[in-house]
Amino acid sequence: MKMIYKIAKTELQTLFYSPIAWLILIVFTIQAAISFTDVYEAHVTAQSLGRVIPNISMGLFADQFRGFFPQIQQYLYLYIPLLTMGLMSRELSSGSIKLLYSSPVTNTQIILGKYLSMVIYALGLSLIMFVFILYSGFTVQNFDFAPVLTGLFGLFLLICAYASIGLFMSSLTSYQVVAAIGTFALLAVLNMVGNLWQDISLIRDITYWLSLRGRSDEFILGLICSEDVLYFIIVVALFLTLSILRLKANRQKTPPSKAFGKYAGAFIAAFALGYVSSRPVLMFYHDATRTKVNTLTPNSQDIVAKMHGKLTINTFSNILDNYYYLVMPKSELRDIDRFRQYIRFKPETKIKHYYYYDKAENPGLDKRYPDLNDRQRMIEYAKSHRLDSNMFMTPEEIRKIENLQPENNRFVRTIVRENGEKTFLRVFDDMQVHPSEGEISAAFKRLVMELPQVGFVKGHGERDCIRSGDRDYNRFAQDKPFRYSLINQGFDFNEVTLDNEIPENIDILVIAEPRQPISEVHYANLEKYIAKGGNLLIAGEPGREGNVNPLTIRFGVEFIPGRLVKPSENFSPDFIQAIPTKEGGEMMYFLKDMINRNYVTTMPGASALSYKESEAKGFKVTELFVTDTAGGTWSELQTTNFIDDTVKVNPETGEKAEASIPVAIALSRKLGEKEQKIIVVGDADCISNGEISIGRKGVRAANYNFIMGAFFWMSDDEVPIDVRRPSTTDRKVYVGLSGMRATKWGMLGLLPFGMAVFYILLWIRRKGK
C-alpha cells in the first residue's frame, strides 16, 4: 500500500509540475461557473418577477434542461483523456517503464498508484463543484444538501470510470496523442453502445448494461441505486484489470492468444457480476430527496405490499394504432424502466411485450393506404421501421392471448396476478400519454380490493353515462382514452333504475338533471338508499327546479329559480366561472390545487343554491364553489335570450346582485358508524362531455379537478389514489439582482483568476529552486 501511495504522489507531482493539470482545473472552473451562474441567475430573475419557485435545490442542480450537474456531465468527458493520456504512455515512450520493471514494484501497484493519482484529481474537480453547492447552501432557503451531494457523488464516480478507461488506453501505446484519441473513441462507443442491437433480445441486455450514458442520472436526481454504484465499481475494476494484464503481458512477453484469453475472462467476469447486480431482487435503493420524489408514495407502497404472488405486466402494441411507436423492440428496456419504482417494491414482476396487427381507429392510415388491407398495411409499416413482419401476430393469434377489441385494439397493458385476476392499464389522449403513478396504482388497487361502484340513475331523462353527446357523461364516467375518467381512476360504474331498490354494491349514486318528475315509487327506493347512508351527487339545471327540489329539499337544499348571470365582454352573461372556496380546498386537495393554480370550474348556465335548512336536518355544510367574489352576479328571472337581449338587475322582480353565491356544496352527516356524503351542484353541464372537453381563451378551467375531488371525497379517500408529496421548503433565494452581479464577478473572475495566480506563484517558486 505504501508503494501505491508513493507512485500516486510522484504522478501528481509530475502532473501538477506541467501546466496541463492547472489549465484543466482553471478551464473546468470557468465552465462550471458559467453553467452555475446561468441557472442561478434564472432563479433570481424569476423571483424578482414575483414567481414562486418550488424545489430550488433540485432546480439548480438537477433540472434536465438547465441544471448544473446535467450540464457538467455533458462535457466532463472532454477533460479526462487529456489527463490520462500520459499516465502509461509517458513511461513507455521515455523508457522509464524499464526502471519500474526492474524495481521491487508489482504491475498491480503501478496501475493502482497511477489510478489513485487520478482519483485524487477527481476529488479536486469535485471540490470545485462543491464550492457552488456550498454557495447555494448559504443563499437558498432550506437548501436540500442530501440529493445534491448524491449527484456530486455520481459525477465523482463517473470521473473515476473515465479515468480507468483512459489509464487502460494509455497502457496500449507509447504515443500520448494516440492514447487521448483512443480514450475519446472508447468513451464515445461506451456512450452509444446502449442504443445498439436493442431489437436482439440476447444482446440488448449486455449492450444496455455496458452503456455509460445516463449512469449518473439517478444520482443527479437524488437516488442511490446499488446497480449503478456496482456498475461503476465493476467498470473501474474491469479496466484496471485490463491495464494490469496489459502491463503483465508486456513485461513477461505473454503470447497474444494467452493474453486475449485473460482479457476475455475479465470481460466475462465483469458481465456476470453486472448481470447479478442488475437483478431486481438484489437491488437496493436510497432516496436522498427530502420529499422522496424518486420513490412511490406511501399509498402506492401499501397497495403493492398487498399484491401477494407473482405479477405480470403484458404490453400489447398494435402497429396499426396511432400509439404503436410507444414501445418497439428496440425500446423494450426503456419501457421496463417506466415501472422501475414498482419493480423496486415487487421485484418478482415480469414484463412481457406482444406485437400484433388488427383493425384500429387510425384515419391517417386509411388515408395513406386506402386500397390495402390490414396485413398489407402492417407489412408497409414493418418495412418503414426495418422490422420483420413475421414478428407481428395476426388478429386471430392475439385474441387467443387477449381479446383487445373492447379496447378498440389500442396500445394497452394488462396487469395479471398469479391467480389469474387482471385489469387493463391504458394510455391516454393527452400530452403525457403514459399513465402516471395515480393511474398505475389505481389499476393495481383493482386487483387487491373491491373499489367503489358508481351508479348513474336513468329513467327520468337524466344525463347518460354511455352516450358521447355533449350533454352526456360518457367522458368522465367511462371514456377509456381520458385520463380522468372514473374507470381509469379506480372506480367501476353501472346504470341504475329506481324501479327496484338500489343494489347493495353501489357506493355513490349520481342523479344528473332529471327532465321528468321522479315518481313516489322511485322516491321510496331512493329513500331506502339514503336511509342506509348512501352517498349522492345531485346535479341540476336552471328551469329544472321542479324536478330536483323535491329530492334536495330532504337535505335542506333548494335550487333557486332563475339563471345566474354576470355581464361579460367576451362570454354569454350566463357563463359562470365558479371559484373554489378555501373551505372546499381544506376538504378536497384537488380543489386546493385549483386554488393554488388559479383554476376555475366553468358552468354554462347554473342555478344558485340555498341550504338554510340543512344544518337543522343534521348536515354539516361546506361551500365548494361560489360565483365571483367581486359581486355583480344575480339570478336572472326575466331574460331568456342572452344573445340579443341585455341583462340588467330588476329589484322589482326580486333580483339582487351579490358576491360569492354558492353553486356547489357538500353535505355530510353521521349515520351510525358511517358518514354520509352528498354533493349538490347547480349546473349539470359542468361535468358533461362538452364542457370537460372545451377550452376558452383566457379561462383557466379544470372541471376534471372538481370531478376527481368530489369522487375522492365521496369514496372516503379510496380513489383516485392520493399520490401527493409534502411541499418543498426551499422556495426562496437570498440573492437579489445586484447580488447576482457580484456573484458572477466572483465566480467567473476572481475564482479562476485566484487559481491562476496561485499556479504562477507556485511555478516561480519551483523555478527558483
Side-chain angles (χ1 to χ4, degrees), residues 541-547 561-563 607:
E541 278 284 312
R544 306 287 184 192
E545 300 90 0
N547 297 332
R563 195 178 191 92
S607 295

Side-chain angles (χ1 to χ4, degrees), residues 513-565:
E513 193 198 353
R515 307 180 79 178
Q516 292 94 39
I518 299 175
S519 68
E520 290 300 322
V521 174
H522 288 180
Y523 266 125
N525 290 325
L526 191 56
E527 285 285 4
K528 292 177 182 178
Y529 173 81
I530 296 170
K532 289 188 295 185
N535 297 335
L536 283 149
L537 187 150
I538 304 168
E541 278 284 312
R544 306 287 184 192
E545 300 90 0
N547 297 332
V548 73
N549 275 341
L551 170 60
T552 58
I553 204 69
R554 289 166 163 78
F555 316 120
V557 179
E558 184 179 0
F559 283 70
I560 304 300
R563 195 178 191 92
L564 285 172
V565 295

Side-chain angles (χ1 to χ4, degrees), residues 617-679:
K617 294 180 180 290
F619 287 98
K620 176 186 176 183
V621 184
T622 304
E623 294 183 356
L624 300 179
F625 288 89
V626 295
T627 60
D628 193 342
T629 55
T633 305
W634 69 91
S635 291
E636 177 62 42
L637 299 172
Q638 293 179 307
T639 306
T640 56
N641 183 352
F642 296 105
I643 298 176
D644 299 320
D645 294 342
T646 301
V647 293
K648 292 182 179 180
V649 180
N650 186 354
E652 295 180 2
T653 60
E655 296 175 357
K656 180 182 178 182
E658 298 178 273
S660 301
I661 301 172
V663 289
I665 60 174
L667 311 172
S668 62
R669 66 177 175 180
K670 272 284 188 180
L671 283 180
E673 296 183 357
K674 178 179 173 58
E675 183 180 10
Q676 186 175 40
K677 299 177 178 180
I678 300 168
I679 291 179

Side-chain angles (χ1 to χ4, degrees), residues 224-238:
I224 299 176
C225 175
S226 61
E227 180 191 15
D228 294 322
V229 174
L230 290 174
Y231 169 83
F232 284 115
I233 293 174
I234 291 169
V235 167
V236 168
L238 171 63

Side-chain angles (χ1 to χ4, degrees), residues 295-539:
T295 306
L296 292 177
T297 55
N299 285 337
S300 294
Q301 291 182 42
D302 291 342
I303 294 169
V304 176
K306 295 174 184 176
M307 190 82 68
H308 302 298
K310 295 180 180 178
L311 188 73
T312 303
I313 300 176
N314 298 310
T315 300
F316 299 94
S317 181
N318 180 6
I319 196 170
L320 302 185
D321 174 46
N322 279 319
Y323 292 113
Y324 74 93
Y325 64 88
L326 294 178
V327 177
M328 301 289 278
K330 62 183 179 181
S331 61
E332 285 185 9
L333 293 180
R334 286 194 293 273
D335 182 62
I336 292 173
D337 281 343
R338 297 185 187 280
F339 298 93
R340 189 179 179 93
Q341 291 189 6
Y342 288 86
I343 295 173
R344 169 180 169 182
F345 292 97
K346 193 165 184 62
E348 65 271 25
T349 301
K350 293 183 179 179
I351 298 182
K352 298 180 180 179
H353 295 86
Y354 297 92
Y355 302 94
Y356 72 103
Y357 70 92
D358 202 350
K359 183 71 69 179
E361 294 180 11
N362 191 342
L365 196 64
D366 297 332
K367 186 177 181 180
R368 194 175 302 120
Y369 304 115
D371 301 323
L372 301 184
N373 60 34
D374 290 339
R375 176 166 180 79
Q376 291 169 331
R377 292 175 176 181
M378 176 273 291
I379 292 173
E380 290 298 320
Y381 262 49
K383 287 179 182 178
S384 300
H385 293 284
R386 301 179 185 86
L387 298 172
D388 182 2
S389 61
N390 294 319
M391 66 176 285
F392 295 97
M393 296 182 182
T394 64
E396 295 74 25
E397 290 172 334
I398 198 65
R399 284 169 200 157
K400 291 178 182 178
I401 300 173
E402 189 70 54
N403 181 17
L404 300 172
Q405 288 179 309
E407 297 292 319
N408 294 322
N409 294 320
R410 286 168 56 95
F411 181 98
V412 73
R413 306 181 201 266
T414 58
I415 303 174
V416 186
R417 295 187 70 180
E418 191 175 16
N419 60 9
E421 288 182 283
K422 65 181 178 182
T423 188
F424 285 103
L425 179 63
R426 305 175 179 90
V427 294
F428 307 108
D429 293 341
D430 54 27
M431 294 293 289
Q432 188 176 337
V433 179
H434 288 284
S436 65
E437 181 184 337
E439 290 78 54
I440 298 173
S441 293
F444 273 56
K445 197 167 187 176
R446 280 184 179 278
L447 300 177
V448 297
M449 65 175 291
E450 289 188 11
L451 292 179
Q453 291 267 352
V454 180
F456 289 82
V457 172
K458 67 176 184 177
H460 316 90
E462 291 92 347
R463 304 295 177 100
D464 197 297
C465 65
I466 303 297
R467 294 199 304 260
S468 55
D470 279 355
R471 297 183 66 258
D472 297 309
Y473 285 0
N474 162 280
R475 188 154 174 77
F476 95 80
Q478 53 113 21
D479 187 18
K480 293 173 181 176
F482 183 52
R483 182 180 302 275
Y484 302 102
S485 68
L486 296 181
I487 61 169
N488 290 324
Q489 295 296 328
F491 294 91
D492 287 318
F493 79 99
N494 284 294
E495 290 187 293
V496 175
T497 67
L498 299 180
D499 296 332
N500 303 299
E501 290 187 19
I502 308 299
E504 290 289 334
N505 65 339
I506 297 298
D507 301 287
I508 303 170
L509 197 65
V510 177
I511 304 175
E513 193 198 353
R515 307 180 79 178
Q516 292 94 39
I518 299 175
S519 68
E520 290 300 322
V521 174
H522 288 180
Y523 266 125
N525 290 325
L526 191 56
E527 285 285 4
K528 292 177 182 178
Y529 173 81
I530 296 170
K532 289 188 295 185
N535 297 335
L536 283 149
L537 187 150
I538 304 168

Side-chain angles (χ1 to χ4, degrees), residues 58-59 61-68 70-71 74 217 220-221:
M58 298 303 286
F61 288 91
D63 184 88
Q64 61 177 326
F65 299 110
R66 300 187 63 182
F68 178 65
Q71 290 189 63
Q74 287 179 8
D217 287 352
I220 291 172
L221 294 173

Side-chain angles (χ1 to χ4, degrees), residues 161-170 183 186-187 190 212 235 239:
Y162 285 168
S164 69
I165 295 167
L167 175 57
F168 170 64
M169 295 306 297
S170 181
T183 304
L186 185 54
L187 290 178
L190 289 175
L212 269 170
V235 167
F239 283 99

